């Protein structure tokens, strides 16, 4: 899994700075565009202490199996990956401390979408569809169950030794299994999900099998 590092680091830096003054910050929305690249975050500042914030921790990535996890400070001594069977995992890399919570606030970005539609900036027609699509993606990304990073579909395909699955098909299949899943506005060929990469791989293999059967059953 890859982290939208610019967003996370920016939020983390702001969080550390404000915590020193007795405040906490939460992102209302975080926007990334590869043109530039451009990166913008709107933050809300509240009174509080860093230890009150469960969204400040560490992100791990296992080079061996591709699994990514988030850890709180109290879990720092117990970091391992399921592929290492509880043993010390030398294949893991750890980043942090970082902001590990949602990059957007659901009600705030939903309100932005409503306003954008009212003002004629967002709609389903071609002329303003990009903003409609972006804000809808941000609403999806604000689901609190989703991890801070995303998984590239090419990584799922490479590890599963199959063709790259269509994003919409794998998102639908993961949701049917009860996982949270959506596209990432940061990179088109990636998904955000709380499903472990091993289950993403098995789901992608099943989808490829279904597509192959459908192809065989097509009338000639
Ligand atoms: Zn692993």
């Amino acid at each position: 899994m890859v982290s939208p590092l610019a967003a996370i680091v920016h939020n983390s830096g702001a969080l550390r700075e404000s915590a020193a003054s007795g405040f906490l910050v939460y992102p209302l929305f975080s926007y990334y565009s590869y043109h530039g690249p451009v990166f913008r975050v709107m933050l809300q500042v509240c009174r509080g202490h860093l230890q009150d914030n469960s969204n400040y921790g560490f992100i791990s990535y296992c080079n061996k199996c591709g699994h990514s996890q988030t850890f709180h400070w109290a879990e720092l001594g117990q970091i391992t990956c399921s592929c290492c069977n509880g043993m010390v995992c030398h294949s893991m890399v750890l980043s942090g401390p970082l902001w590990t919570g949602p990059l957007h606030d659901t009600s705030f970005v939903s309100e932005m979408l409503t306003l954008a539609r009212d003002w004629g900036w967002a709609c389903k027609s071609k002329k303003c569809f990009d903003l409609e699509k972006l804000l809808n993606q941000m609403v999806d990304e604000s689901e609190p169950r989703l991890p801070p990073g995303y998984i590239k579909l090419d990584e799922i395909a490479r590890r599963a030794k199959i063709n790259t699955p269509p994003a919409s098909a794998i998102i639908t299949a993961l949701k049917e299994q009860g996982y949270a899943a959506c596209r990432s506005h940061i990179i088109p060929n990636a998904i955000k999900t709380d499903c472990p990469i091993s289950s993403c791989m098995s789901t992608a293999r099943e989808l490829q099998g279904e597509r192959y059967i459908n192809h065989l059953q097509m009338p000639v």
Side-chain angles (χ1 to χ4, degrees):
M1 181 176 288
V2 182
S3 303
L5 205 58
I8 291 170
V9 168
H10 195 90
N11 290 333
S12 306
L15 183 62
R16 275 197 302 272
E17 294 279 322
S18 58
S21 313
F23 293 98
L24 286 176
V25 295
Y26 298 91
L28 292 175
F29 83 95
S30 312
Y31 171 67
Y32 173 82
S33 169
Y34 64 87
H35 296 296
V38 174
F39 175 67
R40 293 204 170 98
V41 179
M42 180 180 274
L43 300 166
Q44 183 175 39
V45 181
C46 313
R47 287 202 175 274
H49 300 285
L50 206 53
Q51 57 267 37
D52 300 340
N53 198 323
S54 59
N55 289 324
Y56 193 56
F58 298 82
I59 303 170
S60 74
Y61 175 77
C62 176
N63 282 305
K64 189 174 160 191
C65 71
H67 187 47
S68 185
Q69 301 170 79
T70 54
F71 293 95
H72 299 306
W73 290 82
E75 299 170 309
L76 268 182
Q78 308 148 30
I79 291 176
T80 185
C81 183
S82 54
C83 75
C84 296
N85 299 317
M87 308 294 283
V88 176
C89 225
H90 296 290
S91 56
M92 289 180 78
V93 289
L94 195 68
S95 304
L98 292 164
W99 173 261
T100 58
L103 293 179
H104 324 281
D105 177 90
T106 309
S107 58
F108 190 82
V109 281
S110 299
E111 200 174 326
M112 284 173 73
L113 179 59
T114 305
L115 275 178
R117 282 176 183 154
D118 288 350
W119 294 341
W121 295 0
C123 63
K124 295 204 164 37
S125 74
K126 203 173 174 184
K127 76 173 173 52
C128 53
F129 182 67
D130 286 351
L131 185 58
E132 170 91 17
K133 186 176 155 190
L134 173 67
L135 289 171
N136 272 313
Q137 280 183 346
M138 286 179 167
V139 172
D140 292 343
E141 286 176 334
S142 66
E143 153 69 65
R145 283 191 294 158
L146 290 171
Y150 51 77
I151 305 176
K152 286 183 175 174
L153 294 172
D154 290 344
E155 181 174 5
I156 296 174
R158 179 176 58 80
R159 289 184 180 274
K161 297 183 171 56
I162 57 171
N163 296 329
T164 302
S168 54
I170 194 163
I171 287 170
T172 303
L174 292 175
K175 283 182 171 175
E176 283 171 2
Q177 294 170 45
Y179 293 109
C182 71
R183 289 177 185 268
S184 166
H185 89 272
I186 293 173
I187 178 167
N189 195 29
I191 58 167
K192 286 173 73 72
T193 180
D194 59 345
C195 176
I197 193 166
S198 55
S199 302
C200 289
M201 285 157 54
S202 51
T203 302
R205 282 197 199 99
E206 284 166 21
L207 286 172
Q208 177 151 305
E210 284 170 18
R211 286 204 304 278
Y212 181 65
I213 291 166
N214 290 341
H215 176 72
L216 290 179
Q217 290 173 343
M218 274 175 69
V220 285

